[in-house]
Amino acid sequence: MANAGVSVASLWTEVNRCGQNGDFTRALKALTKILHENRDDVTALHCKIVCLIQNGTFKEALNVMNTHSKVLGSEVVFEKAYCEYRLNRVESALKTIEGAPEQTDKLKELYGQVLYRLERYDDCKSVYTDLIRNSQDEYEEERKTNLAAVVASMSQWENAPLEDLGLPESTYELCYNAACALIGQGQFTEALNKLRQAEELCRVSLADDSDVTEEDIESELAVIHSQMAYIMQLQGRTDEALQLYNQVIKLKPSDVGLLAVTANNIITINKDQNVFDSKKKVKLTNAEGVEYKLAKKQLQAIDLNKALLAMYTNQADQCRKLSSSLQSQNPGHPRPVLIQVAQLCREKQHSRAIELLQQFSDQHPESASGIKLTMAQLYLVQGHVTKACDVLRSIEEFKHKSGMISALVTMYSHEEDIDSAIDIFKQAIEHYQSEQPGSAAHLALVREAANFKLKYGRKKEAISDLEQLWKQNTNDIHTLAQLISAYSLVDTDKAKSLSKHLPSADTMAFNVDVDELENSHGATYVRKKAAKVTGENLPKEQGQGEIKKKRKKKKGKLPKNCDPKATPDPERWLPMRERSYYRGKKKGKKKEQIGKGTQGATAGASAELDASKTASSPPTSPRPGSASGASTAPASNVVPPRQQKPAASGATRKKAPQKKKKGGKGGW
């Protein structure tokens, strides 16, 4: 037993030495020997678990804790929660931490990390705020960095307003998180300046370390450059953003989350162009472990873009599969349904697309506004304007918006349904009368309704609107004139009584200088007309050209051989082919044109070869029963064009061979 005790003591010495040197593999061997002697040694089991965690074998460490749970008890609560967290069993880690008998500082640190992974940012913020307030050690700067990351996530994913927590910006991590928080608030210029400041701080802090190379610095700056490119993309500077994104991809950073986000943003820039590049980039979004590195909204955006890319590359089945998966994960989210509808529209299945939209709007009325707008658009594409109007009128959220009223009135006017258009105005005016009486929007709507009714001859219906407008402003002469015009059709006495409120002609003159008005640039035509009528030479004003007298037009000369007493042809201005008496050219006549007729014929020979022009041209073929069986010779001695030969001297000219005569009557 004494030898065994000495052996165990030496083994513990070995474990201590290996732990200080960081050689956890050798320490595990010594601990295995110790546990062989005493299987339930709590200290040895605890040390073994720590060595396994240091070597990254979290599953084996968790198995040891589960096997000896009765012996270990609450001694290894932190280690168990940490292993579950590293194995991405975040819910289990949360239960382990919340079930701990005592909340130590290290458990609180891990608790904050677990809450951040679960996107419970409010609780996470409270944990880190409490830790910073009640602890002072060398990890204070890291806690502040984590708290800044929580604030940035709240700003980006929950649109929470920024809260000044007094966090410094002394390191590039703190500065980067501050920039992300500004992005969530839409302050892109300020965020870009913060990122440039973070880049400089990073270069300065890493330049002091002699072991860090330029490649290491660029790799560390990759996340900052990717965020800068994102801001440029939001600002519309897509070329600069694309250049920065590609630089980050070329560096091949070890962070799979960064690669996935960068590749996704490149795909959004490409859209339906450069599809081959997008198909290569989408592979980076499928890397192992991406789902544990990104927020839920980031993963959702990546999946949506995958579905859209499948649609653009005509992978209809893949598009439907991805969009259906997204819809099952987020039943109330409209975008997966809209992608399915877009795919159906590409396949010209508009009716099926409308059915799908109607089904979603019935199941999820809280998200039906955008869906119904899409339905109305599809109805308009099919030419069903009235159905589109019915869908738009069913959207309670936009029912009384000025843009919706304008669209409905325009569409009803196009369909010549004036009563429905007036009904739209009536409902909107009643809404504003009860909610915002006398407001600018209310009066503008009444004005538009009155003008619309007057435009379509509904003066009687416009009276109430015009009276309401005139009571609001009795000095509005234009409205008063419209009201008098409307009353003149209904009640002439009322029109006369209202006309008393019209100002006199003297008050309406507004001290206008008529001469100055006539001599203005816009009155040039008036001046010319006055000079023509009066015949007076008006003085030349500054900025006005001289007015020349128009010469009298001379009577046009009639053409020769024209009988002025005869009635001219009423169709003389029409082209000859369009006149009623035109019968076209005679088919029998042929013009003598060069290049027309049989190939090789000359202009002179063509006239000679025309048999119709000869005085006595015999028939070209013998009649049946003729005495001679031979072919009849032509009246002239002209050689046909195909038998013509170039002229030659008398000595060399040969006699043309004669055809043999065939026997028989009436044959050739």
Side-chain angles (χ1 to χ4, degrees):
M1 292 292 295
N3 292 334
V6 173
S7 176
V8 170
S10 63
L11 288 172
W12 276 114
T13 304
E14 178 72 11
V15 170
N16 185 33
R17 189 179 74 254
C18 292
Q20 291 176 353
N21 296 333
D23 191 354
F24 299 104
T25 304
R26 288 189 64 182
L28 275 172
K29 293 178 181 179
L31 288 166
T32 303
K33 293 177 182 179
I34 294 171
L35 289 170
H36 184 70
E37 296 291 333
N38 185 4
R39 186 173 179 272
D40 295 331
D41 190 336
V42 176
T43 307
L45 287 170
H46 198 170
C47 290
K48 182 178 181 180
I49 291 166
V50 171
C51 289
L52 290 171
I53 290 173
Q54 291 290 346
N55 284 340
T57 53
F58 303 109
K59 280 188 178 179
E60 190 175 348
L62 198 58
N63 289 335
V64 171
M65 285 183 274
N66 291 331
T67 305
H68 301 86
S69 58
K70 292 182 180 179
V71 178
L72 293 170
S74 60
E75 289 289 328
V76 289
V77 172
F78 173 78
E79 286 78 3
K80 183 180 180 182
Y82 183 76
C83 288
E84 290 170 337
Y85 171 76
R86 291 299 301 270
L87 291 170
N88 297 309
R89 304 174 188 176
V90 189
E91 295 288 348
S92 301
L94 182 65
K95 290 180 181 178
T96 303
I97 294 170
E98 290 177 343
E102 183 184 358
Q103 294 292 325
T104 60
D105 284 349
K106 61 181 182 180
L107 262 179
K108 288 181 181 178
E109 298 272 4
L110 183 58
Y111 186 44
Q113 293 285 345
V114 170
L115 291 173
Y116 184 82
R117 181 75 69 83
L118 292 171
E119 299 184 19
R120 292 169 52 181
Y121 298 121
D122 284 326
D123 297 334
C124 183
K125 176 185 167 187
S126 301
V127 169
Y128 278 118
T129 304
D130 181 65
L131 279 170
I132 292 170
R133 187 184 299 115
N134 299 319
S135 60
Q136 289 183 348
D137 51 25
E138 65 272 16
Y139 299 110
E140 183 178 359
E141 190 173 281
E142 292 183 9
R143 295 189 188 102
K144 289 181 178 179
T145 302
N146 290 343
L147 180 58
V150 173
V151 172
S153 297
M154 291 175 69
S155 175
Q156 285 187 303
W157 312 128
E158 297 180 353
N159 297 323
L162 283 180
E163 185 180 351
D164 187 9
L165 300 176
L167 296 173
E169 296 177 4
S170 53
T171 64
Y172 71 90
E173 293 97 340
L174 284 163
C175 207
Y176 171 80
N177 287 328
C180 293
L182 290 171
I183 291 173
Q185 300 299 310
Q187 302 177 24
F188 302 131
T189 305
E190 295 83 351
L192 193 59
N193 293 333
K194 286 281 184 195
L195 288 172
R196 291 194 178 105
Q197 183 182 346
E199 180 182 8
E200 185 154 351
L201 285 170
C202 181
R203 290 187 182 278
V204 170
S205 62
L206 296 178
D208 298 336
D209 193 345
S210 58
D211 296 334
V212 178
T213 62
E214 186 64 27
E215 291 182 0
D216 296 334
I217 294 174
E218 290 298 325
S219 180
E220 190 71 21
L221 288 171
V223 65
I224 297 175
H225 289 160
S226 183
Q227 201 72 310
M228 290 170 74
Y230 175 63
I231 294 175
M232 292 174 184
Q233 183 179 354
L234 292 176
Q235 291 177 332
R237 299 155 58 186
T238 52
D239 292 338
E240 299 173 63
L242 194 60
Q243 186 178 0
L244 265 179
Y245 282 141
N246 287 323
Q247 287 179 7
V248 173
I249 295 291
K250 286 178 182 178
L251 288 172
K252 297 181 180 179
S254 58
D255 188 351
V256 292
L258 173 61
L259 275 174
V261 171
T262 305
N264 175 73
N265 292 352
I266 291 175
I267 292 170
T268 59
I269 290 177
N270 289 338
K271 294 184 180 179
D272 57 343
Q273 305 296 321
N274 203 0
V275 178
F276 180 73
D277 179 63
S278 296
K279 290 182 76 173
K280 288 197 301 183
K281 295 294 188 295
V282 80
K283 294 178 182 178
L284 297 174
T285 64
N286 298 325
E288 185 180 356
V290 169
E291 63 272 19
Y292 307 119
K293 291 286 186 179
L294 303 178
K296 290 179 181 177
K297 287 192 176 181
Q298 289 176 306
L299 293 171
Q300 187 179 18
I302 289 173
D303 289 339
L304 285 169
N305 287 328
K306 285 180 183 177
L308 286 171
L309 182 62
M311 184 183 72
Y312 286 136
T313 52
N314 298 320
Q315 296 175 302
D317 294 335
Q318 180 73 4
C319 178
R320 290 192 191 94
K321 182 180 177 182
L322 289 169
S323 56
S324 299
S325 174
L326 279 168
Q327 190 176 2
S328 62
Q329 295 171 13
N330 307 278
H333 203 291
R335 287 190 179 177
V337 179
L338 291 174
I339 292 175
Q340 293 180 49
V341 168
Q343 180 61 43
L344 288 171
C345 290
R346 287 171 71 91
E347 297 169 2
K348 307 298 182 185
Q349 300 183 37
H350 295 95
S351 301
R352 176 75 184 103
I354 291 173
E355 290 176 9
L356 193 63
L357 291 170
Q358 185 65 53
Q359 182 181 353
F360 181 85
S361 64
D362 293 340
Q363 294 175 354
H364 305 281
E366 71 282 355
S367 304
S369 300
I371 294 295
K372 288 185 176 180
L373 288 172
T374 308
M375 285 176 63
Q377 179 65 32
L378 290 179
Y379 275 130
L380 288 174
V381 168
Q382 292 181 301
H384 304 318
V385 181
T386 306
K387 289 183 179 180
C389 291
D390 293 340
V391 172
L392 292 175
R393 294 182 74 170
S394 66
I395 306 175
E396 293 293 333
E397 185 180 351
F398 304 141
K399 191 173 183 180
H400 302 299
K401 298 285 186 182
S402 57
M404 181 64 73
I405 296 167
S406 175
L408 285 169
V409 169
T410 303
M411 286 190 282
Y412 277 129
S413 301
H414 180 268
E415 292 295 293
E416 298 182 358
D417 189 356
I418 308 304
D419 293 331
S420 297
I422 292 174
D423 187 51
I424 293 292
F425 276 121
K426 182 182 177 182
Q427 293 179 9
I429 290 170
E430 288 175 355
H431 170 76
Y432 279 98
Q433 183 69 35
S434 60
E435 299 292 332
Q436 304 174 19
S439 63
H442 177 214
L443 295 177
L445 196 58
V446 174
R447 168 72 67 186
E448 290 299 325
N451 290 337
F452 182 82
K453 293 171 184 176
L454 291 172
K455 178 182 177 182
Y456 287 95
R458 306 290 184 91
K459 292 187 178 182
K460 295 179 182 179
E461 301 174 25
I463 288 175
S464 60
D465 297 331
L466 292 170
E467 280 185 338
Q468 186 177 354
L469 288 170
W470 189 56
K471 286 177 182 178
Q472 291 288 334
N473 184 11
T474 54
N475 296 324
D476 190 352
I477 302 171
H478 179 68
T479 303
L480 179 59
Q482 288 179 320
L483 185 58
I484 293 169
S485 175
Y487 263 121
S488 64
L489 300 176
V490 183
D491 189 350
T492 55
D493 295 334
K494 183 68 174 177
K496 288 178 181 178
S497 63
L498 285 173
S499 62
K500 295 177 182 178
H501 296 282
L502 287 171
S504 62
D506 297 334
T507 57
M508 293 179 65
F510 302 113
N511 299 323
V512 176
D513 188 349
V514 179
D515 294 334
E516 184 179 354
L517 186 63
E518 286 187 351
N519 293 330
S520 63
H521 292 288
T524 306
Y525 178 73
V526 177
R527 296 283 294 166
K528 285 185 176 180
K529 187 174 181 181
K532 180 179 179 181
V533 173
T534 59
E536 296 175 1
N537 293 327
L538 297 176
K540 182 179 178 182
E541 300 288 342
Q542 185 176 357
Q544 182 181 358
E546 293 182 358
I547 301 171
K548 297 180 180 180
K549 293 182 180 179
K550 290 186 177 179
R551 296 180 180 179
K552 293 183 180 179
K553 291 185 178 180
K554 294 181 179 180
K555 293 183 179 180
K557 293 182 179 180
L558 295 173
K560 294 180 180 180
N561 303 325
C562 176
D563 187 2
K565 295 180 180 180
T567 305
D569 184 4
E571 298 182 4
R572 63 189 180 280
W573 307 115
L574 296 175
M576 181 62 73
R577 291 187 179 183
E578 297 180 13
R579 298 182 190 180
S580 60
Y581 51 81
Y582 178 69
R583 294 291 179 269
K585 297 179 181 179
K586 293 183 179 180
K587 297 181 180 179
K589 294 184 178 181
K590 296 181 180 179
K591 294 183 179 180
E592 297 181 8
Q593 295 182 0
I594 298 175
K596 296 290 182 78
T598 310
Q599 183 178 0
T602 59
S606 63
E608 296 176 0
L609 291 172
D610 191 353
S612 63
K613 294 184 180 181
T614 58
S616 59
S617 54
T620 56
S621 60
R623 295 177 182 176
S626 60
S628 174
S631 61
T632 308
S636 60
N637 295 325
V638 178
V639 181
R642 292 184 181 273
Q643 297 182 11
Q644 289 180 1
K645 292 185 178 181
S649 60
T652 58
R653 187 176 300 167
K654 294 182 180 181
K655 188 176 181 180
Q658 294 181 355
K659 290 184 179 180
K660 294 181 180 180
K661 295 180 181 180
K662 295 181 181 180
K665 293 184 179 180
W668 282 87

